[in-house]
Amino acid sequence: MAAAVAAAAQNWRRVPSSTGPVPRSRHGHRAVAIRELVIIFGGGNEGIADELHVYNTATNQWFLPAVRGDIPPGCAAHGFVCDGTRILVFGGMVEYGRYSNDLYELQASRWLWKKVKPQPPSIGSLPCPRLGHSFSLYGNKCYLFGGLANESEDSNNNIPRYLNDFYELELQHGSGVVGWSIPMTKGILPSPRESHTAIVYCRKDLGNPKMYIFGGMCGCRLNDLWELNIETMTWSRPETKGMVPLPRSLHTANVIGNKMYVFGGWVPQTMEDEISARDGEWKCTSSFSYLNLDTLEWLALNSDCQEDRKNLLPGPRAGHCAVAVGTRLYIWSGRDGYRKAWNNQVCCKDLWYLDTEKPPAPSQVQLIRATTNSFQVKWDEVSTVEGYLLQLNADSPAPTVTGGIVVPETALLNSQGIKLDLHSQTNHMVPNNVQVTSNSLLKLEAKENITEPENVATQEATKKNHLDSKGFKESNAPSLLPVCTLGPQTSANVAELHDLDIRTVNPDASVSSTVSSTQTMVTQQAVKTESSSTNGAVVKDETSLTTFSSKSEVAETTFIMPSTKVSTGHTNNSTMHLSKTTPLRQIATVKTRERQWYDVGIFKSNTALVSQYYLLPEEKSGLSNKVENADVPDYSLLKKQDLFPGTVYRFRVAAINGCGVGPFSKVSEFKTCIPGFPGAPSTVRITKSVDCIHLSWEPPVSPSGNILEYSAYLAIRTTQVHENPNQLVFMKIYCGLKTSCIVTAAQLSNAHVDYTSRPAIVFRISAKNERGYGPATQVRWLQEMKTSSSK
């Protein structure tokens, strides 16, 4: 494991170029991350910087947010922590020789600054002005330790005093602070120091939070490690294993998983393996180590950058910033040499990142649209990845023949949920074209959006889908990034793409959409929508009630479930018979294990239009089955195979980052359409009025002839006892040529509320041509969650 991580440490990537207003290089700045955004404040280089810069790691764009409120002065070597969507700034040097003890709060969802004044401790005084302190967050408290104070009232006559005082700052929920306190601690306090690091780590299995302080400066550099048990407020010096990093200050320390990664800083010059004395020579370093916080063992990942690798690893630096975005570590700027004069700094301008482990498995592949020979699919994004490897395997084409008429085979398929908050009463559903691409939209824990300026937020969304960076070939599938068109009354800044459900959709649903509305009539209500697509069955029954299964019993794959109201089909030239006692999970697993997986290609975004896949040479037939260590073949040398109509295809996807290809997702199963039947109706709209709702839709994109009629169904409550408790009973509420209908209050009063994911009323709409009914569009109309006093 250690060797794998050490090898991964060589996979540093330098970001070649960024768009937007790139900040000037500096040192003494600080950075935090909110989702994919890196937020940087302060620092100095020919003066102290006072701008707030934001880097979007997903789009490789910098931007300057329009901040307002009590904007703080620029500062360096300050405390900087992030609590949800708010950021706290404490202390730092505001000008040469003058330090601060002010506390500011930034609400990043609104870019609103506010100066806050905590209550002083009941015993003792407020923290004195300082720089180079540590400021760490755990729960609703920040912990302040050490730093450097100026004993002189004259800023030009600096008399330094190293500190080892320890304060606790209690925060109010969401915004504001309560006050400072001086905790009563046990054990021996760490020695006074500044420019050290402090992190908080809590083992998941033990739930015992601890703060670790490492290194710093107190006349000479330090490399001691101190531990504070936050529950017992006990200080100790734990024993560690492995090679302890050299004494250092102005380094960075970041926790990713169970490891504390330490990079750079000022270290002593070494002569014949002996560390120089107190007043000896010091240099910047690019050494990189981690401490396993479970075993307390140090591991050196790389030493100072060698000349032949200087373009492959970040160079020596101190006073830089480092921030973790998921499992990826970003490093930006910092001093790259020793200069005493403030106005003669040499600062790095480069931005680097390192993936510390392989990415997790993405969600199951979800279907947006199926045709006779293609699928439009998507999956949930995985943060900080460089691309996705999409694979499939297939059954032989085997359409079902019923009475001489070819009928699409029934298939249970996965769904997705996409919620789109719109400030309008009419909900525009676009199930075949649903993805919000504005990179300015971000759902945060505080349920507020951080927005970037519109002129830079959406530029990257139109770039091509496939990787073209070093190491990967382009896949054959064309770029596809669907855009959701918002109504005229809708602000793009309130739309969000999030909360993707992994649900199993019913066998007759070809396009599954969800519309949300509150139960109470509101003039300007926020309508929420989810949308997803599946391929599926033909509704053959023309009676008023039709029963379908609502939820799959298998999470890994989809499967066929026969119903008296749905025509089931064949796979592998034989009929699949599922008895009531058949272990469906085993069938799916065995089928997957027996088949060969083929690469569809490598995609840069989380969408793909699949019409072909690659056939591997026989001598490499097992190549792509090596999940963890899959090599990426040269696709230009491989033959392509087109998709067939009426064929079941299984999909899985894996994310790729600098550490390689991660594990594959669970398997999804979709079926291409059979020629001649109409596609599913699209662009479903639900408009709510006082005593009814208006349901409307657009004709299928592929009608395959003249549309003779449409049928709309409503899932209703029933007292019938079914063997499968997840089955839904549908009542036909409309049949005709119009592409709209009214659903009355009386009909809605009989509606079943489906709780398989979020509570919703379920509609289905299908089209009929000369061949018969095609797959249906399923619409889930989200309902207000009812609160209950008891659980």
Side-chain angles (χ1 to χ4, degrees):
M1 177 65 182
V5 176
Q10 308 306 311
N11 293 325
W12 283 97
R13 306 288 176 93
R14 179 172 180 171
V15 179
S17 59
S18 306
T19 60
V22 179
R24 72 180 188 269
S25 57
R26 64 193 64 194
H27 68 100
H29 52 292
R30 299 289 187 261
V32 295
I34 300 179
R35 292 264 180 121
E36 71 268 23
L37 301 183
V38 174
I39 301 171
I40 294 172
F41 181 69
N45 185 12
E46 300 181 1
I48 297 179
D50 58 0
E51 310 96 355
L52 188 78
H53 291 268
V54 180
Y55 174 68
N56 188 320
T57 61
T59 62
N60 192 25
Q61 295 173 332
W62 290 94
F63 68 94
L64 282 164
V67 295
R68 54 197 176 92
D70 305 325
I71 300 174
C75 57
H78 47 287
F80 202 55
V81 298
C82 180
D83 175 31
T85 60
R86 69 169 163 179
I87 296 171
L88 293 170
V89 180
F90 174 75
M93 180 166 65
V94 292
E95 62 182 48
Y96 187 77
R98 189 166 72 87
Y99 310 152
S100 168
N101 63 349
D102 292 332
L103 181 67
Y104 288 86
E105 176 187 271
L106 172 68
Q107 289 291 340
S109 57
R110 293 171 287 165
W111 302 122
L112 178 64
W113 283 105
K114 180 182 178 182
K115 186 174 183 179
V116 291
K117 295 183 179 180
Q119 293 293 324
S122 56
I123 299 176
S125 58
L126 288 167
C128 65
R130 66 189 67 200
L131 62 71
H133 47 282
S134 59
F135 198 48
S136 309
L137 174 74
Y138 182 77
N140 69 329
K141 293 179 180 178
C142 288
Y143 297 96
L144 169 68
F145 176 80
L148 181 70
N150 185 0
E151 291 285 80
S152 172
E153 296 182 359
D154 182 5
S155 60
N156 294 320
N157 182 24
N158 199 343
I159 304 175
R161 177 168 65 95
Y162 294 99
L163 304 171
N164 68 340
D165 49 357
F166 181 59
Y167 285 85
E168 187 178 80
L169 176 65
E170 184 177 354
L171 311 180
Q172 293 178 346
H173 179 71
S175 178
V177 297
V178 177
W180 292 103
S181 63
I182 302 176
M184 297 293 294
T185 61
K186 306 170 188 175
I188 300 174
L189 275 170
S191 59
R193 67 193 64 206
E194 57 102 0
S195 298
H196 55 282
T197 56
I199 59 94
V200 177
Y201 173 68
C202 183
R203 279 186 63 162
K204 293 180 180 179
D205 55 343
L206 299 179
N208 187 12
K210 295 179 179 179
M211 183 170 75
Y212 291 93
I213 289 175
F214 175 70
M217 173 70 172
C218 183
C220 63
R221 270 79 184 180
L222 307 168
N223 67 344
D224 49 349
L225 181 73
W226 292 82
E227 177 185 284
L228 172 69
N229 187 315
I230 292 178
E231 288 187 348
T232 63
M233 281 292 158
T234 303
W235 289 100
S236 63
R237 282 198 65 178
E239 292 185 6
T240 62
K241 295 174 284 186
M243 182 177 292
V244 180
L246 289 174
R248 66 192 59 213
S249 63
L250 290 172
H251 54 287
T252 53
N254 301 85
V255 176
I256 300 176
N258 67 340
K259 299 175 181 64
M260 178 179 76
Y261 290 90
V262 175
F263 179 85
W266 287 110
V267 297
Q269 294 274 17
T270 55
M271 298 290 292
E272 298 179 356
D273 298 326
E274 292 185 3
I275 298 175
S276 58
R278 179 184 182 95
D279 296 322
E281 293 296 321
W282 302 86
K283 66 174 184 178
C284 286
T285 182
S286 61
S287 59
F288 185 44
S289 305
Y290 77 69
L291 175 69
N292 186 313
L293 296 169
D294 292 335
T295 64
L296 293 182
E297 181 175 4
W298 286 102
L299 179 66
L301 299 176
N302 61 263
S303 57
D304 274 333
C305 180
Q306 273 105 40
E307 190 67 24
D308 60 343
R309 295 184 58 83
K310 65 180 181 180
N311 294 323
L312 302 177
L313 300 171
R317 68 196 65 208
H320 54 283
C321 71
V323 62
V325 179
T327 59
R328 178 176 287 180
L329 181 67
Y330 281 87
I331 287 176
W332 180 70
S333 201
R335 293 175 65 172
D336 67 355
Y338 182 69
R339 300 289 187 275
K340 288 186 176 181
W342 180 257
N343 291 328
N344 190 20
Q345 303 296 335
V346 177
C347 290
C348 308
K349 300 178 181 180
D350 48 354
L351 173 65
W352 294 79
Y353 70 81
L354 173 72
D355 289 311
T356 60
E357 58 187 58
K358 290 183 177 180
S363 66
Q364 287 176 288
V365 177
Q366 304 151 27
L367 187 66
I368 296 175
R369 181 170 59 189
T371 68
T372 57
N373 58 2
S374 70
F375 296 109
Q376 183 179 332
V377 296
K378 74 179 298 295
W379 50 90
D380 292 0
E381 288 185 338
V382 178
S383 63
T384 62
V385 298
E386 298 174 0
Y388 302 91
L389 173 62
L390 181 65
Q391 292 185 338
L392 64 74
N393 65 40
D395 286 342
S396 299
T400 301
V401 179
T402 303
I405 300 177
V406 179
V407 180
E409 184 179 37
T410 305
L412 274 181
L413 307 161
N414 286 340
S415 74
Q416 73 196 59
I418 296 179
K419 183 168 70 176
L420 185 61
D421 293 336
L422 305 179
H423 290 306
S424 64
Q425 281 190 292
T426 301
N427 178 21
H428 299 278
M429 288 302 307
V430 191
N432 291 333
N433 195 7
V434 295
Q435 178 142 340
V436 177
T437 61
S438 172
N439 289 309
S440 65
L441 308 178
L442 177 65
K443 178 175 180 279
L444 301 162
E445 295 176 12
K447 297 184 179 178
E448 294 178 287
N449 293 328
I450 291 186
T451 59
E452 304 172 12
E454 293 181 2
N455 61 336
V456 299
T458 59
Q459 293 172 0
E460 290 293 319
T462 58
K463 290 189 176 180
K464 66 180 182 179
N465 190 18
H466 305 95
L467 284 183
D468 54 8
S469 60
K470 181 179 179 182
F472 300 108
K473 300 291 184 180
E474 283 194 15
S475 109
N476 67 312
S479 170
L480 179 64
L481 195 58
V483 180
C484 180
T485 304
L486 304 178
Q489 298 179 6
T490 303
S491 167
N493 288 338
V494 300
E496 295 179 351
L497 173 65
H498 58 91
D499 291 345
L500 298 182
D501 287 340
I502 304 302
R503 225 175 22 251
T504 302
V505 177
N506 315 324
D508 61 315
S510 168
V511 179
S512 175
S513 310
T514 303
V515 180
S516 168
S517 176
T518 56
Q519 298 277 28
T520 307
M521 304 299 175
V522 183
T523 303
Q524 288 293 327
Q525 64 192 25
V527 180
K528 304 172 185 175
T529 72
E530 294 175 342
S531 177
S532 66
S533 303
T534 61
N535 186 28
V538 174
V539 180
K540 299 197 69 179
D541 189 271
E542 298 301 326
T543 60
S544 60
L545 292 180
T546 311
T547 304
F548 300 107
S549 170
S550 173
K551 190 174 183 181
S552 165
E553 298 175 13
V554 176
E556 287 82 356
T557 64
T558 58
F559 56 89
I560 297 169
M561 178 175 287
S563 169
T564 57
K565 302 299 182 180
V566 180
S567 172
T568 60
H570 300 271
T571 57
N572 288 340
N573 299 317
S574 62
T575 304
M576 173 182 266
H577 298 285
L578 298 182
S579 66
K580 297 175 183 178
T581 59
T582 300
L584 298 175
R585 184 183 297 272
Q586 285 185 352
I587 290 177
T589 304
V590 171
K591 287 178 65 177
T592 300
R593 198 178 292 131
E594 291 174 350
R595 289 181 174 82
Q596 169 67 46
W597 288 96
Y598 299 95
D599 289 0
V600 177
I602 296 176
F603 298 84
K604 192 169 184 179
S605 75
N606 63 328
T607 62
L609 180 61
V610 182
S611 60
Q612 296 176 317
Y613 58 92
Y614 292 98
L615 298 174
L616 291 173
E618 289 186 7
E619 64 271 14
K620 296 183 179 180
S621 59
L623 180 65
S624 293
N625 281 332
K626 298 176 182 178
V627 174
E628 294 289 340
N629 302 310
D631 297 322
V632 179
D634 186 345
Y635 291 128
S636 65
L637 303 178
L638 302 181
K639 293 181 179 180
K640 303 173 186 176
Q641 174 64 56
D642 293 333
L643 302 190
F644 291 102
T647 305
V648 175
Y649 291 90
R650 294 163 191 83
F651 287 87
R652 67 182 187 180
V653 64
I656 305 170
N657 67 10
C659 292
V661 180
F664 280 96
S665 66
K666 294 179 180 179
V667 176
S668 300
E669 185 173 292
F670 313 123
K671 185 181 177 184
T672 49
C673 298
I674 294 180
F677 288 85
S682 62
T683 319
V684 180
R685 298 177 179 88
I686 292 181
T687 306
K688 188 174 181 181
S689 58
V690 176
D691 56 352
C692 67
I693 66 169
H694 185 263
L695 188 64
S696 64
W697 56 90
E698 295 294 332
V701 177
S702 302
S704 300
N706 295 323
I707 299 298
L708 302 180
E709 65 183 25
Y710 296 94
S711 288
Y713 297 86
L714 169 68
I716 61 169
R717 295 192 301 271
T718 179
T719 57
Q720 299 178 21
V721 179
H722 298 285
E723 293 181 2
N724 184 352
N726 293 314
Q727 282 186 333
L728 297 180
V729 175
F730 283 85
M731 177 180 69
K732 184 181 289 187
I733 56 174
Y734 171 77
C735 183
L737 271 172
K738 291 184 177 180
T739 57
S740 64
C741 68
I742 297 295
V743 186
T744 65
Q747 290 171 324
L748 289 173
S749 67
N750 196 34
H752 166 76
V753 178
D754 179 36
Y755 287 93
T756 54
S757 56
R758 282 161 284 194
I761 293 174
V762 181
F763 297 95
R764 285 181 182 153
I765 307 161
S766 58
K768 180 181 179 182
N769 64 7
E770 293 85 351
R771 297 290 299 275
Y773 271 98
T777 296
Q778 176 172 290
V779 181
R780 301 186 76 253
W781 185 30
L782 290 181
Q783 302 297 298
E784 189 78 1
M785 181 73 75
K786 294 182 180 179
T787 58
S788 175
S789 57
S790 61
K791 292 186 178 179

